[in-house]
Amino acid sequence: MDMADARQTLANFEKAAAYMMNSSGQVSSEEYRMAEKIFLSFRRVKQPYPICKYMLENSSNAYVHFQAVSAIKEAIVREWKLTNENDKTSLREFLLNYVLGQSGCQDFVREQILSCIAIMLKRSIVTESGLKDLDNLLSTVYQMINSNSNKVHLDSCSLMASILNEFAVNPKSSRISVSWEFHIKAKKKFETEPLKKICIIALESLQHCNRNLNQGIKVMEKYLELSEQILTWNFNELSPNRPKSGHVDSHKLIAFRPGRNWDDIISNQSTIDLFLELYQKVRHESRLCHLVLSCISQLTSISNDVFPNSQSKVHYLTYLVASLVKARGRKICHGNEAQGLAEVFNRIITVDKLLKHIQDEAALTFIKDLSHVTCDCLENAVKEEMEAMDETFYSYAADQLLESWYSIVNEDTEIFNVSRISQDIIMVFECYLKCHLSDGRKSIYPILTGNTADIEIDELEEDDSMASGGQLLSIGALGRSILPHSLPLLSQLLENRIITLRQYISNRLSVTIDHNALMDDIHWLILIIGSVLVDEIGPELPLIPSPILRYSDNLSRSDNYANLVKLISHIGCNDSRTIDDNMLQLLHLEGIDHVLVITFLMLFVARIEEETLQSSAADSLSPQVGKTILWFLIRWCRVYLLPREECYDHISLSLVLTFGRDSDLGAQITKFLVGKVFSNLTLWNAENDIVLETIDLLSTLVDNKARCYIAVSCEDLWNLAVQQVGNSNSSLKKLSGTAQKMLAKALVKAGSCIDDNDARDRFWSMLLGPLKNRFLAALLEPVLAKLMEDSALRNELCITIDCCSGVALASTSSSVQALFSYLLSILRDCIQLLQRFSNVPDLVEIILELFLNVVESQIVYLNKTSTNELFKLCLALMQTYTKCNVGKVSDTVFAEEEKYIELYLILRLLSQVISKDYLDFSTEEANIGQEGEIIGVIDVLLCGLNFIIPLMTENLLKFPDLCLEYFKLISFQCECYPQKINEIPQNLSNLVLVSLNIALNRFGSEVNKMALESVAALATYAYDHKCNTERNNLMIGIEGFMKSILDLLFSEDFEVDLMQSTSEALFCVICCYPDAYKNLIGSFLLAQSNAELRNYLAECFNKLIPPSLPMHMERSSKLQFGKNLRTFLADAKGVQTFSDAQLLCFRDHLANSKVSNGRCTVHGIQFVQKWTLCKLWFHQVIRKCSNTQGAIQDDDADSRSNTSYQK
């Protein structure tokens, strides 16, 4: 390009840049598009380096500079192997001199230039000359340390940061189109010396900043960022496979693991002193303080490899911890410092488990300091909460520090006896109580009056048991480590609040008690007590914590014990007002078991609540406290009430005698709790959260067989069953549909535990008979005629069907056959309801949920006869739903969302149906009569898809849950029953194949992966059964997949975690159609006008499938092809972007559609991206099949496909 052309090109670029950057609105959309097109086209120019240099040197427009550098960057990646070494060196030196010499270079331009330099250094580091070039560059940077120019320091930092980003192989690294093996090799080369050299530069520069604070905050910040980047370097061996795309390792979890040769700069005390001195000097600057503490955190994680022996590591860590405690002082300056310190402490204790490597005295001093920091953060977190701050640094810090304490008391007991730090634990435990009780909060935040803020938080935020679950877990562990102190303290605090509550309820008008503060105190005390008595509730069987068992064992059983048991028994059977002050004195006798004391207090407050609800003082109660009481009772019942003694190696005798299976008190408490359930459901029925927790308590009672035996003997449970399903206007009728469903489930489960057949049948008839009668009454014609207009009747019918769902959910292996027989007629009637009221979305959804719950809960236990009946009903349901919804148009606002919910339920129903194929617990082998039609799982799936697919639209598939469920079913069919593709109706097989083709390039990586695995399964089946000798639907579909897989491979957003699935699918397709693949690649190469590029790509394709690679469906061949494909993508993908037109060249090898004897054999399917076009085209093909005896030409379909691809 001559000078005149260069000037003209620059003028055009500056004009285009002016259009692009114009914000005044004076640029037309056409002018903007043309300007955008100029820059996008320029980025694809081959060897653009001369004109780019000219633009950088002669233009003053920063946007032009950026575009020029971007073009250089893309050309470097694309044409690296086609560029000679002299040109590479010259270009790198030009860019480096430009960025260091230009004082007015914009930051975004400079970063782009430095990224180019880093890419060039990485690409050449595997050679000796490349490693030498990098070493020379770092030597030049090292000489700049003593410069007084801030710009020199900032440019040096930016250059080193860019180099680190490229070699670290993280999301900040550029896409440079190389194999994963190259990344591994380059990283290992970089870690030999260059990385250490950058670390030396950063540390010496920080020393310079430490001596000369006038250097500037910005310079120090840059060097601290660089140091953090080095100290968070991952020295671990990279996985042989690429990491999942977009995965970012947390700095907290990356340990600093350099080799032994780093000992001189990392593990000595001078490095620790440097960062601690900087911490003391910059702790008031939040950003700098955060960076320094992050570096200190990484210094604690240094591995054994750096140290010559274990003693050196102990000395190093002891010095670091002691120096940190000394440097910290006592006062935290701001939230950023609190957060940074919390991460350091958590790293030392929880993540890296370093307490065992620290000398004993230093460890105790460190834990004492930890207690002060924890209390400081807890108190400041209260201020954050009361001032409603957006940034909650102290709350985050408190979470981290309490997690550290959990680790100390649970995992570090082998290092030292926890009793040695009991005073520190007590300090933290009492501080937590102080921060959550009203008196303590007022001392922390004196301007706090009343609990207005607390009320707002309770209404807007999630429940405290969930929001503070992590903290409560840690506080519970702390409390169990100091039980002789924590239990008496908690029981005394709770007793005082209960007494105050009784006074308030009795004399609300005459006493001056802050009601909100009182309720909040009871709420938090119950949460803390529940966390101490019960460890985290998980999927495993919950057990009484070992510290509780030891605590109870150590207390001698005396008359005080017997009197306390009588007191607990008294409250279970009598009015709370009979408990006087003399009785309460029993709670304070010496040697009393405070586990029993707290049990009494919780039953006491539950009794007070129940009696108050029945009185005129019900408004003095708090729904939040009511829910918290239930939260405690549920946790306590699961662990303490009638425990399974065989699950313990040793269990406390006093607890077994008090609450065990053979104890009278255990039975009394169970009956009391059943009464509590009945009371809550009748008196708290307007509070849905309390109702659901109450039903959860009932479920907990009947989940344990010993408790269930006692519960079903209670009159209240029978009354509950009568009221739940009766037609009377009981208070239970006010419960929500969800509550009614869960209550029905709990009651039916309770009936299942009755051993006596007559008693069980009587209970079920009392419960299930009226429920069916209610359902049948709703089906009477006079009622149905009013259903559309009468919302009360619709609601009643929906709730009745919800109760039937609850019956289904209660199914067990022993009760499933009886419950299925009961539900069978209801299911049949629901299909008729669906047909009649298909325009009532709420009723449709409830019916679909009923079928889903029946299949989900019963299908794995049903025998063959019942399974066959259920399959027929499912097919009838889907057929009815489809008939009512095909062609249906709704203009309501929520129409699409309603359709999504309904289709999602049907797809989940099909997913549960196919579970019968691999999970079958039925024991009874029933015979289906000879005349009976046997329906298999695959039959239900295929018919279901045939019904549902016409209802699916592109917009509906944008709902992630619906899309995922749909393609799970498609994937199951293709992988487990690939032969069905040729057996099912052609329109269905076409739509299944189209679905897979669309899924290859859309809807996210999870759906892409399922589609690729399905394609591989279909191709494997076709290859194994020699299907490629005929032109059937399956083979045509497989041939069409080749183009879509290549599209996926060469797309810019291809995710590397799909590589294995993609390579296997492509290999299987090529094995089926080797000739089509050769023609495709040949046509593509012929389209390349550049001979050098054509030869280079041909060589890449030859390496992909060399003659030595057996094209057979063997594991070794697939693995080798996958390895070749990774190399191929690294070599070829960056050199040339495969265009759609080029990849469509194999279309010419496909035959046209033909019809013979009334049957359609489609040979030229073009899989388009528009779902609606797919359906339209296939419907046209099907119509032609039925009306035409001649050939069908699919040219129009082909043109539509191409048009769609262009769009």
Side-chain angles (χ1 to χ4, degrees):
M1 180 180 292
D2 58 25
M3 190 59 64
D5 290 339
R7 282 195 293 266
Q8 183 60 45
T9 301
L10 178 57
N12 292 338
F13 271 61
E14 289 184 335
K15 183 178 179 180
Y19 287 152
M20 295 286 291
M21 303 302 291
N22 189 299
S23 58
S24 63
Q26 297 177 358
V27 176
S28 68
S29 58
E30 182 63 27
E31 288 172 328
Y32 185 88
R33 283 196 297 271
M34 290 301 295
E36 187 179 40
K37 185 177 179 180
I38 288 173
F39 288 119
L40 292 176
S41 300
F42 180 65
R43 290 195 180 187
R44 306 305 301 164
V45 172
K46 294 180 173 61
Q47 299 290 317
Y49 310 122
I51 185 61
C52 290
K53 291 180 181 179
Y54 180 81
M55 290 179 181
L56 288 170
E57 291 173 333
N58 294 279
S59 177
S60 59
N61 191 309
Y63 190 75
V64 172
H65 292 168
F66 179 79
Q67 291 295 338
V69 178
S70 297
I72 291 175
K73 185 175 180 179
E74 292 194 19
I76 290 171
V77 174
R78 187 176 62 243
E79 301 168 8
W80 180 260
K81 292 190 175 182
L82 305 178
T83 307
N84 63 58
E85 293 300 323
N86 291 335
D87 289 344
K88 295 174 186 176
T89 303
S90 173
L91 179 62
R92 187 179 67 243
E93 291 177 355
F94 168 81
L95 292 174
L96 183 60
N97 292 331
Y98 180 86
V99 77
L100 295 177
Q102 289 287 337
S103 58
C105 186
Q106 295 290 330
D107 288 345
F108 65 95
V109 178
R110 183 179 67 247
E111 295 301 326
Q112 191 77 332
I113 293 174
L114 294 175
S115 178
C116 288
I117 296 171
I119 289 172
M120 298 177 77
L121 291 169
K122 181 172 182 177
R123 288 302 303 262
S124 57
I125 196 173
V126 293
T127 64
E128 287 298 325
S129 60
L131 189 59
K132 185 177 180 181
D133 289 340
L134 177 57
D135 186 67
N136 292 336
L137 177 62
L138 293 178
S139 298
T140 303
V141 173
Y142 182 75
Q143 295 171 6
M144 301 178 184
I145 291 177
N146 296 320
S147 173
N148 293 324
S149 170
N150 284 354
K151 180 184 181 302
V152 171
H153 285 286
L154 293 175
D155 287 344
S156 301
C157 285
S158 296
L159 175 60
M160 289 186 287
S162 294
I163 294 172
L164 289 172
N165 283 333
E166 289 303 332
F167 282 96
V169 194
N170 59 32
K172 293 182 179 180
S173 305
S174 303
R175 291 188 174 187
I176 59 174
S177 296
V178 295
S179 66
W180 185 241
E181 290 76 11
F182 179 89
H183 284 295
I184 296 175
K185 189 174 181 180
K187 180 174 180 288
K188 290 180 73 70
K189 280 269 190 180
F190 182 70
E191 288 170 354
T192 54
E193 284 300 328
L195 179 59
K196 182 181 176 183
K197 198 162 190 175
I198 293 176
C199 183
I200 293 171
I201 294 171
L203 292 177
E204 292 193 13
S205 298
L206 282 176
Q207 289 281 13
H208 181 74
C209 292
N210 188 32
R211 293 190 299 267
N212 305 280
L213 291 179
N214 296 329
Q215 184 79 40
I217 296 295
K218 189 65 176 176
V219 172
M220 182 182 291
E221 181 181 353
K222 282 293 184 182
Y223 278 117
L224 283 172
E225 287 176 352
L226 188 65
S227 301
E228 183 190 34
Q229 199 173 356
I230 296 166
L231 293 172
T232 53
W233 185 271
N234 190 351
F235 282 89
N236 294 332
E237 290 285 340
L238 291 177
S239 168
N241 298 316
R242 282 181 183 264
K244 187 177 172 104
S245 179
H247 177 70
V248 182
D249 288 326
S250 169
H251 283 180
K252 176 185 173 182
L253 300 178
I254 297 178
F256 190 54
R257 307 291 196 211
R260 183 72 179 82
N261 61 326
W262 286 64
D263 181 33
D264 54 330
I265 61 170
I266 289 297
S267 62
N268 56 43
Q269 295 180 3
S270 62
T271 303
I272 298 174
D273 293 338
L274 168 62
F275 283 105
L276 290 176
E277 286 176 20
L278 287 171
Y279 166 56
Q280 289 179 308
K281 292 178 181 180
V282 304
R283 63 188 303 187
H284 294 280
E285 295 285 342
S286 60
R287 172 62 180 161
L288 299 182
C289 180
H290 169 76
L291 290 170
V292 171
L293 288 173
S294 178
C295 293
I296 293 172
S297 175
Q298 289 302 115
L299 288 175
T300 65
S301 68
I302 296 179
S303 67
N304 294 331
D305 297 338
V306 179
F307 302 101
N309 51 59
S310 58
Q311 189 61 36
S312 299
K313 180 172 183 177
V314 170
H315 180 73
Y316 169 83
L317 292 173
T318 301
Y319 180 81
L320 190 155
V321 168
S323 300
L324 175 62
V325 172
K326 184 177 179 181
R328 192 191 71 78
R330 286 296 180 200
K331 185 173 177 57
I332 296 177
C333 298
H334 48 76
N336 267 307
E337 183 185 8
Q339 181 176 327
L341 282 171
E343 289 175 349
V344 173
F345 281 112
N346 188 268
R347 184 69 182 263
I348 292 171
I349 298 168
T350 306
V351 179
D352 295 323
K353 314 288 185 187
L354 298 181
L355 286 182
K356 59 185 177 183
H357 299 296
I358 299 174
Q359 292 176 3
D360 198 44
E361 184 178 349
L364 293 175
T365 305
F366 173 73
I367 289 175
K368 185 173 291 296
D369 192 57
L370 173 65
S371 64
H372 289 289
V373 174
T374 306
C375 293
D376 200 357
C377 289
L378 285 170
E379 292 180 1
N380 278 288
V382 173
K383 297 176 183 178
E384 279 183 344
E385 178 188 348
M386 301 319 299
E387 294 175 3
M389 295 181 178
D390 293 332
E391 300 288 350
T392 54
F393 294 112
Y394 286 104
S395 299
Y396 172 83
D399 289 341
Q400 294 282 302
L401 293 167
L402 288 173
E403 182 184 347
S404 302
W405 280 106
Y406 181 87
S407 178
I408 289 173
V409 299
N410 273 332
E411 301 171 12
D412 293 330
T413 53
E414 297 178 0
I415 303 171
F416 47 80
N417 194 329
V418 175
S419 63
R420 299 177 61 188
I421 56 171
S422 59
Q423 292 304 311
D424 300 307
I425 297 175
I426 290 172
M427 178 180 173
V428 174
F429 187 81
E430 291 184 349
C431 181
Y432 191 84
L433 283 171
K434 174 184 174 182
C435 292
H436 289 83
L437 300 181
S438 55
D439 292 340
R441 289 167 71 86
K442 288 177 183 177
S443 68
I444 296 170
Y445 197 76
I447 64 173
L448 175 63
T449 57
N451 265 346
T452 303
D454 286 353
I455 293 173
E456 292 177 356
I457 290 172
D458 291 339
E459 291 174 351
L460 297 176
E461 293 191 353
E462 64 178 327
D463 188 79
D464 289 323
S465 62
M466 298 295 295
S468 302
Q471 290 191 1
L472 290 169
L473 182 66
S474 300
I475 286 298
L478 289 178
R480 287 191 294 275
S481 68
I482 50 168
L483 286 172
H485 176 84
S486 62
L487 288 183
L489 174 62
L490 290 170
S491 60
Q492 182 63 61
L493 290 171
L494 182 59
E495 180 188 351
N496 293 340
R497 268 57 176 192
I498 293 174
I499 292 173
T500 305
L501 177 63
R502 278 217 300 184
Q503 293 173 356
Y504 179 82
I505 293 171
S506 302
N507 306 287
R508 285 188 296 163
L509 301 178
S510 59
V511 297
T512 57
I513 296 174
D514 188 337
H515 176 259
N516 287 338
L518 174 61
M519 288 298 161
D520 207 47
D521 285 357
I522 295 175
H523 164 69
W524 276 104
L525 280 170
I526 294 174
L527 287 178
I528 295 170
I529 288 170
S531 301
V532 172
L533 288 187
V534 181
D535 205 348
E536 184 178 19
I537 297 293
E540 301 86 7
L541 178 70
L543 301 175
I544 302 173
S546 299
I548 299 286
L549 296 175
R550 291 193 295 269
Y551 169 80
S552 293
D553 271 344
N554 291 335
L555 297 171
S556 58
R557 293 177 59 251
S558 59
D559 292 340
N560 295 339
Y561 165 80
N563 292 331
L564 184 55
V565 170
K566 290 179 182 178
L567 187 59
I568 298 174
S569 176
H570 182 84
I571 195 60
C573 304
N574 296 279
D575 195 301
S576 67
R577 286 166 290 192
T578 60
I579 303 293
D580 55 22
D581 292 342
N582 292 330
M583 289 183 174
L584 292 178
Q585 289 303 314
L586 292 173
L587 307 180
H588 305 286
L589 296 175
E590 186 177 354
I592 204 76
D593 188 341
H594 281 87
V595 175
L596 305 185
V597 171
I598 287 175
T599 302
F600 163 76
L601 291 173
M602 287 307 305
L603 296 177
F604 190 21
V605 73
R607 176 67 81 182
I608 292 173
E609 180 194 47
E610 181 180 340
E611 292 166 359
T612 306
L613 283 171
Q614 298 169 350
S615 70
S616 59
D619 59 344
S620 62
L621 297 175
S622 162
Q624 182 192 49
V625 172
K627 185 179 177 183
T628 309
I629 291 172
L630 290 166
W631 173 86
F632 175 88
L633 292 175
I634 291 169
R635 290 170 67 93
W636 184 86
C637 281
R638 286 177 181 167
V639 177
Y640 289 88
L641 185 58
L642 279 61
R644 294 178 59 180
E645 299 167 24
E646 65 274 11
C647 297
Y648 295 85
D649 294 332
H650 171 75
I651 190 169
S652 167
L653 182 60
S654 63
L655 292 180
V656 170
L657 293 174
T658 310
F659 306 122
R661 296 185 180 183
D662 298 324
S663 66
D664 294 334
L665 187 57
Q668 287 181 6
I669 293 175
T670 302
K671 293 176 180 179
F672 168 78
L673 293 176
V674 172
K676 175 67 176 168
V677 168
F678 184 79
S679 170
N680 271 17
L681 292 178
T682 53
L683 301 174
W684 270 123
N685 51 61
E687 295 289 339
N688 192 53
D689 287 346
I690 290 182
V691 167
L692 294 177
E693 287 287 311
T694 302
I695 296 172
D696 194 11
L697 174 60
L698 177 61
S699 299
T700 301
L701 289 171
V702 301
D703 275 346
N704 177 302
K705 209 161 190 177
R707 294 194 296 259
C708 190
Y709 286 149
I710 299 170
V712 294
S713 68
C714 297
E715 185 179 351
D716 281 333
L717 190 70
W718 291 74
N719 292 336
L720 198 60
V722 171
Q723 290 197 25
Q724 206 256 339
V725 296
N727 289 316
S728 61
N729 294 321
S730 70
S731 55
L732 296 186
K733 296 298 181 185
K734 300 177 182 178
L735 302 184
S736 66
T738 302
Q740 297 261 25
K741 176 167 64 175
M742 301 315 294
L743 179 57
K745 175 185 174 182
L747 290 172
V748 173
K749 258 193 171 181
S752 301
C753 291
I754 302 175
D755 286 335
D756 184 80
N757 292 334
D758 293 336
R760 181 173 63 249
D761 293 341
R762 185 160 54 91
F763 183 85
W764 274 2
S765 63
M766 183 182 296
L767 177 66
L768 301 180
L771 177 61
K772 180 171 281 191
N773 292 336
R774 267 173 59 188
F775 178 76
L776 294 175
L779 297 184
L780 297 175
E781 186 58 35
V783 178
L784 293 179
K786 301 177 183 178
L787 202 65
M788 290 295 293
E789 294 78 18
D790 194 330
S791 60
L793 287 177
R794 288 201 307 273
N795 186 58
E796 172 66 20
L797 178 58
C798 288
I799 287 178
T800 302
I801 297 175
D802 263 328
C803 291
C804 295
S805 289
V807 173
L809 291 172
S811 301
T812 62
S813 58
S814 58
S815 65
V816 65
Q817 209 60 50
L819 294 179
F820 177 72
S821 300
Y822 169 81
L823 291 168
L824 193 58
S825 61
I826 295 176
L827 294 175
R828 291 194 182 102
D829 291 334
C830 281
I831 295 175
Q832 301 303 317
L833 277 175
L834 178 66
Q835 184 171 6
R836 182 164 180 174
F837 298 102
S838 60
N839 291 324
V840 183
D842 291 344
L843 184 58
V844 172
E845 184 179 336
I846 293 293
I847 291 172
L848 293 176
E849 284 184 352
L850 171 62
F851 272 82
L852 173 61
N853 290 327
V854 169
V855 174
E856 188 175 29
S857 305
Q858 298 188 342
I859 194 168
V860 296
Y861 300 115
L862 292 177
N863 58 36
K864 290 181 180 180
T865 303
S866 299
T867 300
N868 214 50
E869 287 289 334
L870 184 56
F871 283 174
K872 288 180 181 179
L873 288 172
C874 290
L875 289 175
L877 172 80
M878 290 183 286
Q879 186 176 24
T880 302
Y881 178 84
T882 303
K883 186 171 70 173
C884 296
N885 286 274
V886 167
K888 177 180 174 183
V889 178
S890 176
D891 56 356
T892 61
V893 177
F894 302 106
E896 188 173 62
E897 186 174 350
E898 290 165 356
K899 188 65 62 183
Y900 149 68
I901 293 172
E902 292 166 6
L903 288 174
Y904 178 64
L905 290 171
I906 293 176
L907 292 175
R908 284 189 58 201
L909 172 67
L910 289 172
S911 294
Q912 293 300 323
V913 165
I914 64 178
S915 68
K916 184 71 171 179
D917 204 40
Y918 52 85
L919 199 64
D920 189 357
F921 296 138
S922 60
T923 55
E924 180 185 350
E925 289 295 332
N927 293 320
I928 303 172
Q930 292 182 354
E931 298 179 359
E933 181 186 359
I934 300 176
I935 302 175
V937 168
I938 187 60
D939 300 318
V940 179
L941 174 59
L942 292 175
C943 290
L945 290 175
N946 195 29
F947 292 138
I948 296 306
I949 286 179
L951 301 176
M952 303 293 286
T953 65
E954 185 176 4
N955 285 335
L956 284 172
L957 286 175
K958 291 177 181 177
F959 288 94
D961 292 339
L962 180 67
C963 181
L964 193 60
E965 207 64 45
Y966 173 68
F967 284 109
K968 278 182 182 177
L969 295 174
I970 297 290
S971 179
F972 173 83
Q973 189 252 308
C974 293
E975 293 184 44
C976 298
Y977 298 94
Q979 72 278 8
K980 291 290 183 178
I981 289 291
N982 283 329
E983 298 174 7
I984 59 179
Q986 182 176 335
N987 65 327
L988 178 57
S989 67
N990 287 341
L991 291 174
V992 169
L993 294 171
V994 168
S995 298
L996 285 177
N997 221 298
I998 293 174
L1000 286 172
N1001 289 283
R1002 300 180 62 187
F1003 307 127
S1005 59
E1006 190 171 0
V1007 172
N1008 297 156
K1009 188 172 186 291
M1010 287 191 290
L1012 289 165
E1013 290 171 350
S1014 301
V1015 170
L1018 290 175
T1020 301
Y1021 169 80
Y1023 182 87
D1024 291 342
H1025 292 77
K1026 309 298 182 184
C1027 295
N1028 58 344
T1029 58
E1030 52 183 306
R1031 298 292 294 172
N1032 53 37
N1033 266 9
L1034 177 58
M1035 294 311 301
I1036 296 164
I1038 291 172
E1039 191 173 14
F1041 291 139
M1042 188 183 299
K1043 185 265 170 192
S1044 296
I1045 296 173
L1046 289 172
D1047 274 350
L1048 175 64
L1049 269 173
F1050 290 102
S1051 62
E1052 290 189 4
D1053 56 351
F1054 176 68
E1055 297 192 21
V1056 293
D1057 52 306
L1058 292 175
M1059 178 60 75
Q1060 182 177 349
S1061 301
T1062 308
S1063 67
E1064 183 171 352
L1066 181 58
F1067 179 79
C1068 294
V1069 171
I1070 294 174
C1071 285
C1072 290
Y1073 276 105
D1075 292 336
Y1077 170 76
K1078 292 175 183 177
N1079 293 335
L1080 170 65
I1081 302 306
S1083 301
F1084 167 72
L1085 293 175
L1086 288 175
Q1088 306 303 317
S1089 57
N1090 186 309
E1092 184 180 3
L1093 177 60
R1094 183 169 60 249
N1095 294 333
Y1096 177 77
L1097 290 173
E1099 183 183 353
C1100 292
F1101 279 112
N1102 289 334
K1103 291 179 180 177
L1104 175 62
I1105 305 181
S1108 59
L1109 178 63
M1111 296 304 291
H1112 304 298
M1113 299 283 190
E1114 297 174 354
R1115 177 174 171 78
S1116 57
S1117 297
K1118 292 178 181 178
L1119 293 175
Q1120 185 60 48
F1121 179 80
K1123 184 177 180 180
N1124 294 349
L1125 184 61
R1126 291 186 182 90
T1127 305
F1128 169 80
L1129 287 178
D1131 292 341
K1133 189 174 178 181
V1135 175
Q1136 175 67 39
T1137 300
F1138 285 61
S1139 68
D1140 286 338
Q1142 291 163 335
L1143 287 178
L1144 278 170
C1145 64
F1146 79 98
R1147 168 177 175 262
D1148 298 332
H1149 306 291
L1150 301 179
N1152 290 329
S1153 300
K1154 296 181 181 179
V1155 172
S1156 177
N1157 298 324
R1159 296 189 315 168
C1160 179
T1161 306
V1162 184
H1163 287 269
I1165 299 174
Q1166 291 294 324
F1167 295 95
V1168 296
Q1169 295 297 315
K1170 283 289 186 181
W1171 179 253
T1172 51
L1173 287 179
C1174 291
K1175 294 197 295 181
L1176 174 63
W1177 184 63
F1178 281 118
H1179 290 164
Q1180 289 174 345
V1181 172
I1182 294 165
R1183 285 200 299 271
K1184 289 181 181 180
C1185 289
S1186 60
N1187 300 323
T1188 307
Q1189 296 299 318
I1192 294 178
Q1193 300 296 327
D1194 64 341
D1195 293 340
D1196 291 340
D1198 289 349
S1199 64
R1200 281 197 301 273
S1201 301
N1202 292 334
T1203 302
S1204 178
Y1205 252 105
Q1206 289 164 7
K1207 290 180 181 179

